[in-house]
Amino acid sequence: MKIGVLGAGQLGRMLALAGYPLANRFTFLDTTGHPSAGIGEVMIDTDRRHLEEFLERVDLVTYEFEHLPVSLVQAIEEHKPVHPSSEAIRVCQNRAEEKALFDRLGIPTPAYRLVESAEALEAAARELGTPVVAKSVTEGYDGKGQAVLKDPAEAADAWHAINHPRLIVEAFVDFVREVSIIAVRGRDGEVAFYPMAENVHVDGILRYSVAPLPDLDAAIQQTADGYIRALLDELDYVGVLTLELFQTRDGGLMANEMAPRVHNSGHWTMDGAVTSQFENHLRAIQGLPLGDTAARLPTCMVNVIGREGDPAELLAIEDAHLHRYDKSERAGRKLGHVNLVAPTHDALLEKVRACAALLPDAPEPRFSFEE
Amino acid sequence: MKIGVLGAGQLGRMLALAGYPLANRFTFLDTTGHPSAGIGEVMIDTDRRHLEEFLERVDLVTYEFEHLPVSLVQAIEEHKPVHPSSEAIRVCQNRAEEKALFDRLGIPTPAYRLVESAEALEAAARELGTPVVAKSVTEGYDGKGQAVLKDPAEAADAWHAINHPRLIVEAFVDFVREVSIIAVRGRDGEVAFYPMAENVHVDGILRYSVAPLPDLDAAIQQTADGYIRALLDELDYVGVLTLELFQTRDGGLMANEMAPRVHNSGHWTMDGAVTSQFENHLRAIQGLPLGDTAARLPTCMVNVIGREGDPAELLAIEDAHLHRYDKSERAGRKLGHVNLVAPTHDALLEKVRACAALLPDAPEPRFSFEE
């Protein structure tokens, strides 16, 4: 099976690494001019001139990046199967659409307003009660295109800083932790759920993900499973879907956002789960049976951001698995990750601290389940 | 680190899959005209014209195939580091050299004679007592270039069938099972040992490897560790070395042969060990710390030979990990393998039987530790 991937970054690279053993071959279509996958065949196409050639080379199309023109994906769907579909992209790349879908399916979210002016932003901040977070409805990710308003009077500055015609304004949630649920749905509708992960973000960038969680009530996992299943079924979705949630003090879950693809908060599955998110995505889109999503052992994914650590020092940690993306260093750039695996969560936390100490720009690791 | 690999088959492919996460890049030098790696950059060089270009592209050279001209590897060593060294190749590609080394290091082997004529073969068969196995001293692998003599009178036929000027003639060993020990030695002399595997061959081709073994006395593992450590240290070896042994009825071990590379009997480590043989080979040759060689769970590698099974059926087995080499079907050809992982050896054997039933040419799985 020849698989075409829209986007050519580290997610595509890791898809390919999972797909070679399934006898898949990969062609990437990069529309940015800066591909980093470094594997398979990479076609740079900044002017849509190579699309036809790309489509001739592949049997099936998927993507590693949802901020694609929906029209492009719809055009591709007329020639080749695309999983997940353009409809998933359309919904996921627009926060207003996404919230409307959450509302329709009864998935709780923070209170929100849509605004189209600085004045409306100020009014929304007043109504929801500050602090609020304002986000452009499209194209924001990893904390870009966002601002926190501590006072409604900051609306004009925030409006100009974000510089987007339509924003979503969300009330702050008094959450205990940020979590995510990753699930995969096959072409036959079969669904499998990974154990939920706790995610630690700093400045909007994911730094740590731990799974499974030592203190997670099974009922909460089931609630999350139900939410993501509703999304998967509603979208007639095929492949891996990620839903980021806030867990509140009373144990409730509120949806933050979703991503129609393999996700950084699922990288722990490469070394910590029976089947990785990458392999399961590929199994799903090819109509193969889904693999077991169970965790083997407590695992923590530590992102390598901005600057790399010494590989020899990182690999000297027992049961540490280094995943470098072969990219050059740049502030805020995801350069790789380290998966740490341990028999207990206490042993895991020790390793995470040892690993963080070896990474120049790693924040202090802190998790909600620590004593 | 840009790694050059001599040979471009499935072992090179799996090395590359393990090396991308270490930010390695791979260039393969294929001297057969039939590369199958399907990853990285493959240079076909049947006339040694591209050797210089190959060497310009790489920092470090390793190989996936030891039946290379020693002179070629020595020539490469004058320009780039080669691990393991040409000395390891020289010894391993000649059964007479190999036996002499085993003898020198006190590693027991079956009784043997070297012969250079049909008459000498007949005399050796008489002296050792039939049955004996006769093998060309060079270039044989996977059961090629071998013959079993049940009677000294078969010497002339065997001599002509093997058609080689120098043979080694070995007494049969009354073994309980065939096992292998795989170890890895770093550039600093650090050594790590994998748990021994039981290997089932049919017609000289490996079909099943199971590790760890439920009935293996720790003292036997230590004996094997000692043998392979002696070889590693004697050869000042860097990388993965494989030693195939017979385990006799009294628990003793006799060396059969060794391979200076990652080995089919170590493929189980890809899904069953903390660190795969491929990653550990790459760690070793780059001077990185070695990874943990412990097994996570009982694992069986099932080779896919000649004809493939239906991937969907194979992947429906729980905790089955398919590794296809993306090669076309041909009788006796290694097309892939399936790693099966289970919490107990009993559960594992059930999976192995289920898997074998899905492979058109798989022999009945039988292991020494079954009741």
Side-chain angles (χ1 to χ4, degrees), chain B residues 100-306:
Chain B
L101 179 61
F102 292 154
D103 289 348
R104 199 160 71 242
L105 296 173
I107 300 170
T109 65
Y112 70 95
R113 300 287 183 277
L114 292 165
V115 300
E116 297 186 354
S117 70
E119 295 69 33
L121 173 57
E122 188 175 340
R126 228 173 271 288
E127 204 178 340
L128 294 168
T130 50
V132 293
V133 58
K135 304 170 181 173
S136 64
V137 291
T138 57
E139 288 184 20
Y141 62 101
D142 277 354
K144 289 159 196 155
Q146 304 198 2
V148 171
L149 281 73
K150 291 188 183 134
D151 190 288
E154 294 165 21
D157 285 351
W159 179 262
H160 288 112
I162 299 174
N163 190 25
H164 194 89
R166 196 166 192 228
L167 308 186
I168 191 160
V169 193
E170 296 174 346
F172 251 72
V173 175
D174 181 25
F175 61 84
V176 180
R177 57 183 168 194
E178 294 178 85
V179 293
S180 59
I181 170 92
I182 293 181
V184 55
R185 186 169 181 273
R187 293 210 306 225
D188 60 356
E190 179 194 2
V191 176
F193 308 95
Y194 283 97
M196 291 170 71
E198 174 170 335
N199 303 318
V200 178
H201 292 87
V202 176
D203 298 332
I205 301 178
L206 182 66
R207 305 307 297 240
Y208 302 100
S209 288
V210 173
L213 293 169
D215 60 347
L216 190 81
D217 197 287
I220 296 176
Q221 174 84 41
Q222 282 165 20
T223 300
D225 291 355
Y227 292 161
I228 200 165
R229 180 190 283 278
L231 291 163
L232 290 165
D233 288 343
E234 173 70 16
L235 294 167
D236 194 16
Y237 192 98
V238 174
V240 162
L241 177 70
T242 305
L243 177 62
E244 293 186 85
L245 302 138
F246 301 113
Q247 188 179 345
T248 54
R249 218 158 287 282
D250 61 359
L253 296 172
M254 284 191 161
N256 179 19
E257 59 183 32
M258 61 180 183
R261 54 171 167 79
V262 290
H263 192 262
N264 198 165
S265 71
H267 290 0
W268 69 271
T269 63
M270 298 173 85
D271 300 291
V274 174
T275 313
S276 79
Q277 64 167 347
F278 299 99
E279 180 175 338
N280 256 336
H281 183 73
L282 293 170
R283 288 192 188 208
I285 66 176
Q286 292 174 83
L288 293 167
L290 304 180
D292 188 347
T293 49
R296 289 215 196 271
L297 286 169
T299 307
C300 182
M301 189 284 310
V302 180
N303 260 343
V304 179
I305 310 278

Side-chain angles (χ1 to χ4, degrees), chain A residues 157-280:
Chain A
D157 285 352
W159 180 263
H160 288 112
I162 298 174
N163 189 25
H164 195 88
R166 196 167 192 227
L167 307 186
I168 192 161
V169 193
E170 296 173 346
F172 251 75
V173 176
D174 181 25
F175 60 83
V176 180
R177 58 181 169 195
E178 295 178 84
V179 293
S180 59
I181 170 93
I182 294 180
V184 54
R185 186 170 181 272
R187 292 209 307 225
D188 60 356
E190 180 194 2
V191 177
F193 308 95
Y194 283 96
M196 290 169 73
E198 173 170 336
N199 303 317
V200 178
H201 293 86
V202 176
D203 297 332
I205 301 178
L206 182 66
R207 305 307 297 241
Y208 303 99
S209 288
V210 173
L213 293 169
D215 61 345
L216 190 82
D217 197 288
I220 296 176
Q221 174 83 41
Q222 281 164 23
T223 299
D225 291 356
Y227 292 161
I228 201 165
R229 182 190 281 279
L231 291 164
L232 290 165
D233 288 345
E234 173 70 16
L235 294 167
D236 193 16
Y237 192 98
V238 175
V240 161
L241 177 69
T242 305
L243 177 62
E244 294 186 85
L245 303 137
F246 301 114
Q247 188 179 348
T248 55
R249 217 157 287 282
D250 62 359
L253 296 173
M254 285 193 160
N256 179 19
E257 59 182 31
M258 61 181 184
R261 54 170 167 80
V262 288
H263 192 262
N264 198 165
S265 71
H267 290 0
W268 70 269
T269 62
M270 297 173 86
D271 299 291
V274 174
T275 313
S276 79
Q277 64 167 348
F278 299 98
E279 179 174 339
N280 255 335

Side-chain angles (χ1 to χ4, degrees), chain A residues 13 17 20-23 25 38-39 274 283 288-289 292 296-297 312 315-316 318-324 326 341, chain B residues 13 17 20-23 25 38-39 274 283 288-289 292 296-297 312 315-316 318-324 326:
Chain A
R13 175 184 175 90
L17 289 170
Y20 277 91
L22 301 174
R25 297 182 190 193
I39 194 169
V274 174
R283 288 192 188 208
L288 293 167
D292 189 346
R296 289 217 197 269
L297 286 170
L315 290 170
E318 201 194 338
D319 218 340
H321 303 272
L322 182 58
H323 299 272
R324 298 176 68 185
D326 208 2
V341 182
Chain B
R13 175 184 175 89
L17 289 170
Y20 277 92
L22 301 175
R25 297 181 190 192
I39 194 168
V274 174
R283 288 192 188 208
L288 293 167
D292 188 347
R296 289 215 196 271
L297 286 169
L315 290 170
E318 201 193 338
D319 218 340
H321 304 271
L322 182 58
H323 299 271
R324 297 175 69 185
D326 207 2

Side-chain angles (χ1 to χ4, degrees), chain A residues 32-69:
Chain A
T32 66
H34 305 286
S36 71
I39 194 169
E41 187 176 18
V42 177
M43 295 175 63
I44 296 179
D45 185 37
T46 49
D47 54 8
R48 282 209 199 184
R49 280 200 193 165
H50 299 86
L51 186 58
E52 205 173 315
E53 197 188 338
F54 169 76
L55 291 175
E56 275 167 18
R57 295 188 190 195
V58 304
D59 302 317
L60 183 64
V61 176
T62 189
Y63 44 89
E64 55 131 52
F65 182 65
E66 66 272 29
H67 297 285
L68 295 159

Side-chain angles (χ1 to χ4, degrees), chain B residues 56-68:
Chain B
E56 275 167 19
R57 296 188 190 194
V58 304
D59 302 316
L60 184 66
V61 175
T62 189
Y63 43 90
E64 55 131 52
F65 182 66
E66 68 272 29
H67 297 286
L68 295 159

